Amino acid sequence: MMNIRILTQFPEMFGAVLGGSILGRAQENGLIAFDVINIRDYSADKHHKTDDTPFGGGAGMVMMPQPAFDALRSLGAEGKRILYMSPRGRILDRELAEDLAKEREFYILCGHYEGVDERILTAWGMEEVSIGDYVLTGGELAAMVLVDCVSRLVDGVLGSPESLDEESIYSGLLEYPQYTKPREFEGLSVPEVLTNGNHRLIHLWQYEQSLRLTRKRRPDLWAKYLENNNILTKDEKKILNMVLSEDERP
Ligand code: SAH
């Protein structure tokens, strides 16, 4: 079982996300345990203060070292992998998510307001992780994004593990368009090929759509995909060559 321990000043934010849907089921099934720890509970201050004004001036509040140090100590986090959600961090991607999914236990610290005292990060050897080049008001939403994408990589969390490799990004390509019933809706129809039951043709159509979408929207992924030695069937090679030959047209 994997154990993810989240330190935050706003534990109530996590209830709906960790308790519901796929993550809730993962916990019930004993695959993952989430501990949400309220940093305020560890404040030595009689008003449970956790933040103070920054040395050197400037706006906002900074998380004080004492509550975080005491929380981490009492949890036994010494020597453990601890992430700090932060816009200065390494950007979360597939590789990092896969790496974290292999851990048996890790910690996440969420900042709020202006951030945290740097000594918390250095003394505990924290790894800074960002979810993108924008600034949030707190690390809680970022931690939920991280926990969600890591959890679905843990064995048994998703119903059908084979669906992982077919997904956008994980397959190296963006996913093809999906359709469900009804076949006709307000005059809009589902592509004919998907309804005829020919699995070979369906697969090739989906592959072609994935290639075209990736080339158009994500030139970075497209270039990587072409560099890889993808194991392709004869039919897939034909499709890939057809799509590539269109690039050469003037
Ligand atoms: N003053 C800080 C930003 C603080 S934002 C700076 O300029 O770097 C407040 C908190 O939100 C941070 O402590 C961090 O935990 C979280 N946060 C903000 N943007 C984030 C992002 N892109 N990814 C992950 N966490 C983020």
Side-chain angles (χ1 to χ4, degrees):
M1 167 153 66
M2 177 185 240
N3 188 199
I4 305 178
R5 314 185 97 176
I6 303 162
L7 288 89
T8 171
Q9 291 159 285
F10 300 92
E12 64 284 354
M13 285 181 73
F14 288 85
V17 171
L18 301 183
S21 186
I22 295 176
L23 300 190
R25 213 179 321 125
Q27 282 189 96
E28 285 161 24
N29 295 340
L31 299 168
I32 312 183
F34 301 110
D35 297 326
V36 180
I37 294 115
N38 192 345
I39 297 173
R40 260 176 239 281
D41 292 345
Y42 294 88
S43 171
D45 175 80
K46 67 171 183 291
H47 303 293
H48 302 290
K49 189 169 109 163
T50 51
D51 298 272
D52 214 326
T53 53
F55 276 119
M61 298 291 270
V62 173
M63 187 188 289
M64 296 153 41
Q66 178 274 318
F69 271 62
D70 283 355
L72 289 163
R73 262 194 209 114
S74 81
L75 294 164
E78 291 90 350
K80 301 277 169 63
R81 188 163 184 185
I82 312 175
L83 313 180
Y84 169 57
M85 303 316 297
S86 154
R88 301 191 308 195
R90 158 174 180 193
I91 297 199
L92 176 62
D93 59 8
R94 170 194 169 166
E95 281 74 32
L96 181 56
E98 284 175 345
D99 183 41
L100 288 167
K102 292 186 201 125
E103 296 285 350
R104 290 213 54 230
E105 180 185 35
F106 66 90
Y107 289 71
I108 306 173
L109 174 66
C110 304
H112 222 91
Y113 314 113
E114 263 330 294
V116 307
D117 189 302
E118 190 74 17
R119 292 169 290 184
I120 301 174
L121 308 179
T122 49
W124 290 86
M126 292 192 189
E127 209 175 308
E128 296 188 45
V129 178
S130 167
I131 62 161
D133 285 338
Y134 40 80
V135 178
L136 304 165
T137 58
E140 285 76 14
L141 286 169
M144 290 185 232
V145 168
L146 181 136
V147 162
D148 188 275
C149 78
V150 170
S151 296
R152 67 201 294 288
L153 297 176
V154 171
D155 273 350
V157 169
L158 287 190
S160 50
E162 66 273 16
S163 60
L164 272 180
D165 292 340
E166 284 170 21
E167 261 162 341
S168 289
I169 313 296
Y170 288 92
S171 64
L173 294 171
L174 301 182
E175 194 176 66
Y176 47 79
Q178 299 262 25
Y179 298 87
T180 184
K181 286 163 200 101
R183 195 186 274 227
E184 283 284 325
F185 178 73
E186 298 194 355
L188 307 167
S189 44
V190 170
E192 188 64 36
V193 60
L194 297 178
T195 62
N196 67 14
N198 183 328
H199 293 290
R200 187 180 142 261
L201 290 182
I202 290 172
H203 168 75
L204 291 176
W205 180 86
Q206 291 172 332
Y207 181 58
E208 181 182 343
Q209 300 299 313
S210 279
L211 292 175
R212 291 186 188 285
L213 264 179
T214 310
R215 181 179 60 180
K216 184 157 163 238
R217 293 195 191 161
R218 293 291 303 273
D220 57 324
L221 289 181
W222 181 240
K224 258 201 224 164
Y225 183 76
L226 296 180
E227 275 167 27
N228 277 348
N229 279 324
N230 300 297
I231 301 158
L232 300 178
T233 64
K234 227 165 127 197
D235 285 337
E236 287 170 340
K237 266 184 215 146
K238 250 189 235 160
I239 300 280
L240 179 60
N241 285 332
M242 175 182 81
V243 171
L244 284 172
S245 71
E246 293 165 5
D247 285 342
E248 285 147 25
R249 265 191 242 150

